[in-house]
Amino acid sequence: MLLQGTENEHVLSRQSDILYHDELVTAFIASHWWPENPGHVLIIPNRHIENIYSLTGELSDRIHRLEIEVAKALKETYGCDGVSSRQHNEPAGNQDVWHYHLHVFPRYKDDQLYTSKAIRTTAEERNLYSVRLREYFAQKIKSNV
């Protein structure tokens, strides 16, 4: 729904959450985040892939190359102490959204990421982070020309 531009009460993510988009992948600020890890990023393939078992090598390569760039962006724009990434498959693997997505979290000393619970955020809260990351990627693209 996000990639089709749908915005209504049933779609939590907004177009303003998107910080990077190309022909294969999109990265955006997640609608839920952990209290000490605000502004974490989700990277998704643009075409529907349910989970890792259907992911092609080309698409995996693109997702993980973007993961590297997002990690660098988080370090530079958020000033975080580190970065963690995770991805879930099937119910036993804690998958709860049936479209492949990779989480990239800013990490801070003693942040309790794995022991705290995610909270829903507003578009305004997310915008504080998406603007910074969009500017980072715009500058990076400009400097590579």
Side-chain angles (χ1 to χ4, degrees), residues 19-78:
L19 56 107
Y20 180 87
H21 176 81
D22 67 24
E23 68 281 353
L24 295 176
V25 297
T26 299
F28 59 97
I29 300 294
S31 63
H32 290 72
W33 60 47
W34 282 252
E36 302 299 322
N37 309 87
H40 94 271
V41 174
L42 294 175
I43 301 172
I44 62 170
N46 294 342
R47 66 182 171 91
H48 179 66
I49 303 288
E50 185 168 301
N51 53 38
I52 200 167
Y53 310 117
S54 303
L55 197 62
T56 65
E58 175 190 21
L59 198 47
S60 177
D61 180 63
R62 184 66 196 107
I63 289 166
H64 292 286
R65 286 178 184 270
L66 182 55
E67 175 189 10
I68 293 166
E69 294 308 314
V70 167
K72 290 175 183 177
L74 294 178
K75 288 283 288 177
E76 186 171 318
T77 64
Y78 293 11

Side-chain angles (χ1 to χ4, degrees), residues 10-129:
H10 305 292
V11 180
L12 298 177
S13 296
R14 299 286 179 252
Q15 295 300 298
S16 60
D17 297 333
I18 297 173
L19 56 107
Y20 180 87
H21 176 81
D22 67 24
E23 68 281 353
L24 295 176
V25 297
T26 299
F28 59 97
I29 300 294
S31 63
H32 290 72
W33 60 47
W34 282 252
E36 302 299 322
N37 309 87
H40 94 271
V41 174
L42 294 175
I43 301 172
I44 62 170
N46 294 342
R47 66 182 171 91
H48 179 66
I49 303 288
E50 185 168 301
N51 53 38
I52 200 167
Y53 310 117
S54 303
L55 197 62
T56 65
E58 175 190 21
L59 198 47
S60 177
D61 180 63
R62 184 66 196 107
I63 289 166
H64 292 286
R65 286 178 184 270
L66 182 55
E67 175 189 10
I68 293 166
E69 294 308 314
V70 167
K72 290 175 183 177
L74 294 178
K75 288 283 288 177
E76 186 171 318
T77 64
Y78 293 11
C80 54
D81 300 323
V83 174
S84 288
S85 302
R86 69 181 184 200
Q87 192 273 324
H88 306 281
N89 300 283
E90 301 181 295
N94 290 329
Q95 183 176 7
D96 61 355
V97 173
W98 302 102
H99 184 90
Y100 179 95
H101 58 285
L102 176 70
H103 297 260
V104 186
F105 295 95
R107 297 299 307 273
Y108 303 91
K109 185 176 180 350
D110 301 321
D111 63 15
Q112 306 300 310
L113 174 65
Y114 297 112
T115 58
S116 60
K117 190 172 177 135
I119 55 173
R120 187 172 167 178
T121 62
T122 66
E124 293 78 25
E125 290 170 315
R126 295 190 303 272
N127 197 52
L128 297 172
Y129 296 90

